[in-house]
Amino acid sequence: MAWLLVVVAGLLETGFAVSLKLSHGFTRPWPTIAFALFALGSFGLLTLALKRLDVDPAYAAWTGIGAAGTAIYGMVFLGDIVSTLKIVSITLVIVGVVGLQLSGPAP
């Protein structure tokens, strides 16, 4: 259950990063409100998950999901440049997060 919270928190991190871009420096109200809601949800779920998980793999998973999700969203929906190096790098982030999870005992 705690890992599910981390995954959802990471997806919400993607939401707050994208909303932050779309807010144009907090000048657009709806993306600004979305940013605040996504951020509160993301940090809240991560906080709950950290009650049961070690901080290093949980935080790495949270940031990895958020970083990979934001990069993928940007390439698919925002016209960010797609390159082989970006895709390889996203893959390495995901592999690194999985490696951290596998490196320690399960709670």
Side-chain angles (χ1 to χ4, degrees), residues 44-102:
L45 292 177
L46 180 63
T47 299
L48 292 174
L50 288 175
K51 289 181 178 182
R52 296 199 175 265
L53 300 173
D54 289 340
V55 71
D56 52 332
Y59 184 76
W62 178 70
T63 58
I65 292 166
T70 302
I72 292 166
Y73 187 94
M75 289 186 287
V76 172
F77 296 107
L78 300 178
D80 291 355
I81 296 170
V82 179
S83 70
T84 302
L85 182 57
K86 276 189 179 182
I87 293 172
V88 168
S89 298
I90 291 168
T91 303
L92 289 172
V93 167
I94 293 167
V95 168
V97 168
V98 171
L100 274 174
Q101 172 59 21
L102 296 175

Side-chain angles (χ1 to χ4, degrees), residues 12-56:
L12 291 174
E13 183 187 1
T14 296
F16 83 66
V18 171
S19 296
L20 187 59
K21 175 172 179 52
L22 297 176
S23 77
H24 290 274
F26 299 125
T27 60
R28 294 183 172 168
W30 290 116
T32 300
I33 292 166
F35 161 76
L37 294 174
F38 282 129
L40 286 171
S42 182
F43 286 114
L45 292 177
L46 180 63
T47 299
L48 292 174
L50 288 175
K51 289 181 178 182
R52 296 199 175 265
L53 300 173
D54 289 340
V55 71
D56 52 332

